[in-house]
Amino acid sequence: MSFPKPECDVLRALSSARLVVQLAQEKGIVRHNLSYREPLYHVGAILADAALQAGLNYRTVVKVRIDRIVQDFPEAATLSGMFNAIASIGVAEFLRWHHHTKVSRFVCLAELLRNESIDDFHQLRTWLQNPACREKLRAIHGVGPKTVDYLCGLVGLDFIAVDRHIRAFASDAGVTGADYDYLQTVISYAADLLGVSRRHFDASIWTYVSNQKAGPQRRTTLQLPFDGSIAVA
């Protein structure tokens, strides 16, 4: 059997993955999160989500903006329609965000897709499955591996986007001091061992950690970054 990495690294990752699986089973996080929505087939909302999400509270800051874009700008479901909308109101108003860094990131993402002749959701999803796209995305200031994987998740691809929720859960399981690639491998293996999609497991961890931070009074229904509403008992 061949491994994409040295066998010792794979075995180490599997050992760490078992720790994550044990904690996930103890907390019951997978069985509590069985339903989630399909991805938004809306390029404008996807790009806005990817550009805004880093470092912000998703539920209170990002989600309200994404919901508004979907509702108020149906034409922005395609990239060309999005550019038409922006031409009349400006990027800051489209996003309802005025800080230069995230506005610039959104514009760079949109321009990259236009240069790649991508217009609709299906073209974007196909393009994101080409490994060559990652280098182009990473060339944008502020776009790291987490944002690329998050973008893949937004279109329904089976990726783990390692964020602070993933890191916190892994740390609670006893997996600490890991770099991005190693931790992504560990969580991916854990999902495989549990027999759930990696994207589902990512969403389950996100909901669990968010609920822990929110406190008992907020443990009802949460909107996931790209997987919709989950009712938590």
Side-chain angles (χ1 to χ4, degrees), residues 20 23 164-177 183 187:
V20 173
L23 181 60
R164 63 183 183 274
H165 298 77
I166 294 288
R167 291 188 179 278
F169 190 80
S171 178
D172 288 347
V175 183
T176 59
L183 196 51
I187 303 300

Side-chain angles (χ1 to χ4, degrees), residues 89-102:
I89 63 170
V91 176
E93 177 59 23
F94 180 78
L95 296 176
R96 289 284 172 89
W97 191 266
H98 297 273
H99 193 278
H100 171 75
T101 300
K102 291 184 183 294

Side-chain angles (χ1 to χ4, degrees), residues 78-92:
T78 63
L79 190 70
S80 55
M82 187 194 78
F83 273 110
N84 289 337
I86 289 171
S88 62
I89 63 170
V91 176

Side-chain angles (χ1 to χ4, degrees), residues 21-157:
V21 167
Q22 182 178 354
L23 181 60
Q25 291 174 329
E26 288 175 0
K27 302 301 182 181
I29 68 166
V30 174
R31 69 173 178 267
H32 288 163
N33 299 317
L34 297 178
S35 62
Y36 53 92
R37 71 179 184 186
E38 292 299 314
L40 287 173
Y41 293 86
H42 194 293
V43 172
I46 290 168
L47 294 184
D49 201 328
L52 292 174
Q53 49 81 30
L56 298 177
N57 184 296
Y58 189 85
R59 179 172 46 242
T60 61
V61 180
V62 180
K63 180 182 181 297
V64 292
R65 287 167 168 80
I66 303 309
D67 288 348
R68 169 184 166 269
I69 288 171
V70 172
Q71 179 176 337
D72 293 355
F73 302 99
E75 72 276 19
T78 63
L79 190 70
S80 55
M82 187 194 78
F83 273 110
N84 289 337
I86 289 171
S88 62
I89 63 170
V91 176
E93 177 59 23
F94 180 78
L95 296 176
R96 289 284 172 89
W97 191 266
H98 297 273
H99 193 278
H100 171 75
T101 300
K102 291 184 183 294
V103 170
S104 176
R105 190 172 303 152
F106 174 85
V107 171
C108 289
L109 286 168
E111 291 289 357
L112 172 60
L113 296 192
R114 182 156 65 177
N115 291 339
E116 294 291 311
S117 299
I118 294 165
D119 191 52
D120 62 26
F121 172 90
H122 299 288
Q123 291 170 337
L124 175 58
R125 193 177 193 278
T126 298
W127 182 73
L128 285 170
Q129 294 175 74
N130 183 345
C133 80
R134 300 184 76 87
E135 183 177 352
K136 296 175 181 178
L137 287 165
R138 292 287 303 277
I140 297 173
H141 179 70
V143 175
K146 182 251 181 173
T147 299
V148 177
D149 292 328
Y150 183 87
L151 184 57
C152 289
L154 289 173
V155 300
L157 299 177

Side-chain angles (χ1 to χ4, degrees), residues 179-209:
D179 63 20
Y180 185 96
D181 290 340
Y182 178 76
L183 196 51
Q184 184 183 58
T185 299
V186 168
I187 303 300
S188 297
Y189 285 175
D192 297 344
L193 291 170
L194 286 165
V196 297
S197 75
R198 295 170 179 186
R199 184 169 170 265
H200 180 185
F201 193 44
D202 187 323
S204 299
I205 292 173
W206 191 94
T207 302
Y208 171 78
V209 175

